[in-house]
């Protein structure tokens, strides 16, 4: 801060612009970009996760419908007759129509086959050359439930007797005898066309997706938009599996083929398969790049306007101030040459105008001082000649006093002696403070003079706490209060009265009270006059004492006034005891 204070004004403005505008805006922009980009990514993640969950739910519905066919077979009496060897043409026709309707309603169904260990009983959909007998035997051994296999190449019969292979996922389950639930009579094989299955979910996922696939509990790809991954283990499956164990369905960032991707995953509620959608992380950063571009443009605009602001300040602020500095340097050397210039109407123009006016006044003042210097020296010489030695005044009063005594005019002698003591106390060798004992003696001498005017009408009592005689206080503190009490309190009262002076210690303060039993006054009126700078002559003494004490000791001390008409007046003077003078 010390170094900054000594920098030129232009450099200060540039630094202030950088510190107060450019840097805070840059930091704020970066923070907002990070905050907005983070929130945007989070919302995009949530949208993708919601979409993946919806697609996974649709797949679960498909798988559930397939597995529930086992129970439909249990209640279909035509099918029960066929698998138990009691079926006729009507039964075969009924079951065939039922299977056809299932395949027509679900494009993903490749084929449905009812078979036992020896032969295919009925088949609908795409006709396959054969089914895996080992899988059929395995299905017939399971009294409840079934199992999925795949992906596998299923041979089908094409036109002209040609055989082709289709990629399918197969569901095998046993068909229970309705009358003997524990007995399996045949097996049902439902083949799902992988091409149709992938087409089903690929139309709903993000266009930027790298891979969208269905994997089993070991990570093997069962269905995928990227056919090259079929049957292989998905590289990010371990990361997905660990994330699922920690947080359930959701998303996780992982590495995939030298690229960072966000894997959105949902575990199937029907089996232990996982539906996974891999999206490049860069696809979610486009919003961040846009906001960063806006921030950079804003930053450049700030710099542009900052430079424009600095040039304007240099032209209309710094330039005129520098000219003013040149004027000040010229005046400092004694050159008061004026330059004709047009002052602008702003504060700097007013400052230049006032400085020029001050220079003119200063020039006139210097000329006046120079021309009157000789007269001042002559006046000082005359003042020195006219000075009177205080000792000469003391000696003169003393000579008059003894002359009065010699002529036996003792009253005049006493008055002169009291006046001499008063004069000596007031001068006090130029000292501002006196002891309490000296101030009390001064009051007594003053009252000696007042008695010649008022006689027995005015009495005074002084009560000073022992040990305070040598405490120093500002001189002429008590006498003006006594005089004020006599002139405004006791003189208007025909029978006169008494003035009581009390000097005591209260806590850490010295308190001097001057109280009279005179005619009193309006306390509110006197207090208001003391607060007024232009106080009247009746409160001048009070105001003077209060100001002197406050200037010396602080606003916590001073003079306090109490009075009621017809009851008298009490004035308190409070000052600190340890710092009495």
């Amino acid at each position: 801060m010390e170094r900054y204070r000594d920098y030129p004004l232009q450099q200060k403005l540039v630094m202030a612009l950088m510190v107060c505008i450019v840097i805070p805006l840059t930091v704020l922009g970066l923070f907002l970009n990070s905050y907005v980009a983070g929130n945007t990514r989070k919302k995009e993640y949530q949208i993708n996760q919601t979409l993946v969950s919806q697609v996974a739910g649709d797949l679960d519905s498909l798988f559930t419908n397939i597995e529930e066919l086992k129970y439909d077979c249990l209640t279909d009496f035509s099918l029960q007759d066929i698998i138990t060897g009691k079926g006729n043409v009507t039964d075969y026709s009924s079951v065939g129509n039922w299977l056809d309707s299932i395949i027509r309603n679900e494009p993903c169904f490749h084929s449905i086959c009812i078979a036992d260990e020896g032969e295919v009983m009925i088949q609908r959909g795409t006709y396959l050359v054969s089914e895996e007998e080992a899988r059929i035997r395995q299905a017939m051994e399971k009294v409840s439930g079934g199992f999925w296999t795949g992906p596998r190449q299923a041979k089908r019969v094409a036109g002209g007797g040609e055989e082709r292979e289709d990629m399918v996922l197969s569901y095998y389950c046993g068909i229970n005898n309705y009358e003997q639930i524990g007995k399996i009579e045949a097996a049902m094989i439902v083949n799902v066309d992988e091409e149709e299955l992938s087409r089903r979910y690929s139309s709903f996922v993000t266009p930027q997706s790298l891979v969208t696939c269905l994997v089993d509990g070991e990570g093997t790809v069962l269905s995928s938009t990227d056919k090259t991954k079929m049957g292989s283990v998905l590289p990010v499956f371990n990361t997905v599996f660990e994330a699922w164990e920690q947080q359930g369905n959701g998303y996780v960032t992982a590495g995939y083929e030298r690229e960072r991707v966000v894997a959105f995953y949902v575990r199937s509620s029907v089996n232990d398969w996982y539906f996974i959608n891999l999206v490049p992380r860069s696809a979610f950063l486009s919003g961040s790049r846009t906001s960063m571009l806006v921030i950079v443009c804003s930053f450049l605009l700030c710099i542009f306007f900052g430079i424009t602001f600095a040039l304007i300040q240099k032209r209309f602020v710094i330039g005129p101030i520098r000219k003013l500095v040149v004027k000040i340097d010229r005046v400092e050397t004694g050159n008061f040459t004026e330059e004709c210039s047009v002052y602008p109407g702003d504060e700097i123009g007013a400052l230049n105008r006032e400085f020029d006016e001050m220079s003119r006044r200063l020039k006139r003042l210097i000329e006046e001082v120079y021309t009157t210097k000789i007269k001042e020296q002559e006046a000082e010489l005359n003042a020195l000649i006219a000075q009177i030695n205080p000792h000469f005044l003391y000696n003169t009063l003393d000579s008059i006093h003894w002359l009065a005594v010699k002529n036996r005019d003792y009253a005049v002698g006493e008055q002169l002696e009291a006046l001499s003591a008063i004069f000596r106390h007031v001068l006090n060798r130029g000292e501002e403070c006196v002891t309490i004992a000296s101030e009390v003696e001064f009051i007594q001498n003053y009252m000696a003079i007042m008695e010649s005017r008022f006689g027995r009408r005015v009495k005074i009592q002084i009560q000073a706490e022992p040990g305070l005689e040598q405490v120093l206080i500002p001189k002429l503190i008590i006498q003006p209060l006594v005089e004020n009490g006599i002139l405004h309190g006791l003189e208007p009262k025909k029978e006169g009265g008494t003035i009581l002076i009390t000097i005591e210690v209260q806590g850490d303060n010295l308190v001097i009270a001057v109280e009279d039993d005179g005619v009193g006054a309006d306390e509110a009126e006197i207090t208001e006059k003391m607060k007024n700078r232009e106080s009247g002559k009746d409160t001048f003494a009070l105001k003077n004492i209060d100001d002197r004490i406050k200037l010396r000791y602080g606003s916590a001390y001073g003079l306090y006034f109490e009075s009621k008409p017809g009851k008298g007046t009490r004035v308190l003077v409070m000052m600190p005891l340890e710092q009495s003078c």
Side-chain angles (χ1 to χ4, degrees), residues 163-225:
E163 296 182 358
R164 293 184 180 180
E165 293 184 344
D166 295 333
M167 186 69 69
V168 296
L169 299 178
S170 301
Y171 176 73
Y172 290 84
C173 67
I175 302 176
N176 301 71
N177 188 313
Y178 178 78
E179 297 177 351
Q180 301 179 35
I181 296 298
K183 182 180 180 180
I184 303 298
E185 298 289 352
M188 181 176 67
I189 304 96
V190 181
N191 295 310
V192 179
D193 190 341
E194 191 278 330
E195 186 69 29
E196 287 293 334
L197 182 64
S198 63
R199 188 179 297 115
R200 179 177 188 140
Y201 58 72
S202 62
S203 60
F204 295 99
V205 296
T206 307
Q208 296 90 346
S209 298
L210 290 176
V211 177
T212 305
C213 59
L214 186 67
V215 301
D216 61 14
E218 302 297 325
T220 302
V221 178
L222 304 177
S223 175
S224 175
T225 54

Side-chain angles (χ1 to χ4, degrees), residues 8-10 13 313-329 344 346-349 351-352 355:
L9 183 59
Q10 184 175 359
L13 288 174
Q313 294 300 311
K314 181 179 180 181
R315 173 67 176 83
F316 295 102
V317 178
I318 299 175
I321 290 178
R322 285 179 176 174
K323 291 181 180 179
L324 180 59
V325 172
V326 172
K327 287 183 181 180
I328 294 173
D329 292 339
D346 56 10
E347 291 81 356
I348 298 178
L351 185 61
N352 275 275
F355 177 77

Side-chain angles (χ1 to χ4, degrees), residues 7 12 27 75 172 183 261 285 358 379 394-395 416 486:
Y7 287 159
K12 287 181 180 178
V27 174
T75 58
Y172 290 84
K183 182 180 180 180
V261 297
L285 299 179
M358 183 197 69
Y394 299 153
N395 293 336
L416 289 171
I486 293 175

Side-chain angles (χ1 to χ4, degrees), residues 32-229:
L32 289 178
N33 177 66
S34 176
Y35 178 78
V36 172
N39 281 351
T40 302
R41 284 197 300 270
K42 185 176 180 180
K43 290 180 180 178
E44 290 181 352
Y45 289 170
Q46 292 174 347
I47 293 173
N48 277 270
Q49 180 61 31
T50 301
L51 184 60
V52 169
S53 298
Q54 291 175 350
V55 175
D58 181 62
L59 295 179
D60 279 352
S61 297
L62 174 64
F63 299 146
T64 300
N65 291 337
I66 292 174
E67 294 185 5
E68 286 180 349
L69 290 176
K70 172 182 175 68
Y71 306 104
D72 294 337
C73 293
L74 184 65
T75 58
D76 191 305
F77 297 109
S78 294
L79 181 61
Q80 287 290 320
D81 289 340
I82 292 174
I83 62 175
T84 56
K86 304 175 184 178
N88 54 32
V89 174
T90 303
D91 293 329
Y92 276 94
S93 176
S94 174
V95 173
N97 291 335
W98 173 58
L99 296 179
D100 286 336
S101 66
I102 293 175
I103 294 175
R104 282 196 304 270
N105 293 331
E106 181 51 68
C108 289
F109 285 163
H110 180 272
S111 61
I112 301 177
C113 179
I114 307 297
D116 60 10
E117 295 183 6
E119 60 178 348
V120 174
M121 298 179 179
I122 187 169
Q123 182 176 215
R124 288 293 185 271
T126 302
Y127 285 87
L128 301 181
V129 175
S130 64
E131 289 289 355
E132 297 182 2
E133 295 183 3
R135 297 293 185 184
I136 294 175
R137 288 194 298 272
Q138 183 180 354
M140 294 183 66
E141 293 175 358
K142 295 178 68 69
V143 176
S144 62
F147 59 90
W148 287 87
T149 65
R152 68 186 182 91
Q153 296 288 348
K155 293 182 180 181
R156 65 182 176 87
V157 179
E162 183 181 356
E163 296 182 358
R164 293 184 180 180
E165 293 184 344
D166 295 333
M167 186 69 69
V168 296
L169 299 178
S170 301
Y171 176 73
Y172 290 84
C173 67
I175 302 176
N176 301 71
N177 188 313
Y178 178 78
E179 297 177 351
Q180 301 179 35
I181 296 298
K183 182 180 180 180
I184 303 298
E185 298 289 352
M188 181 176 67
I189 304 96
V190 181
N191 295 310
V192 179
D193 190 341
E194 191 278 330
E195 186 69 29
E196 287 293 334
L197 182 64
S198 63
R199 188 179 297 115
R200 179 177 188 140
Y201 58 72
S202 62
S203 60
F204 295 99
V205 296
T206 307
Q208 296 90 346
S209 298
L210 290 176
V211 177
T212 305
C213 59
L214 186 67
V215 301
D216 61 14
E218 302 297 325
T220 302
V221 178
L222 304 177
S223 175
S224 175
T225 54
D226 184 0
K227 303 308 178 183
T228 62
K229 306 298 180 183

Side-chain angles (χ1 to χ4, degrees), residues 207-265:
Q208 296 90 346
S209 298
L210 290 176
V211 177
T212 305
C213 59
L214 186 67
V215 301
D216 61 14
E218 302 297 325
T220 302
V221 178
L222 304 177
S223 175
S224 175
T225 54
D226 184 0
K227 303 308 178 183
T228 62
K229 306 298 180 183
M230 296 292 295
S232 62
V233 177
L234 189 67
V236 300
F237 177 74
N238 290 335
T239 304
V240 169
F241 182 74
E242 291 175 359
W244 181 84
E245 286 187 326
Q246 295 177 3
Q247 64 184 26
N249 296 333
Y251 52 86
V252 65
T253 303
Y256 179 79
E257 295 183 352
R258 300 181 182 179
E259 186 175 4
R260 298 297 292 175
V261 297
V262 181
F264 300 92
Y265 60 90

Side-chain angles (χ1 to χ4, degrees), residues 19 99 122 219 222 227 250 424 471 481 484 494 500 517 531 535 537 550 557:
V19 173
L99 296 179
I122 187 169
L222 304 177
K227 303 308 178 183
R424 187 180 299 108
V471 174
L481 301 178
N484 192 73
K494 182 177 180 180
L500 174 62
D517 55 359
K531 292 180 180 180
S535 56
K537 62 181 182 178
K550 281 182 168 56
Y557 303 96

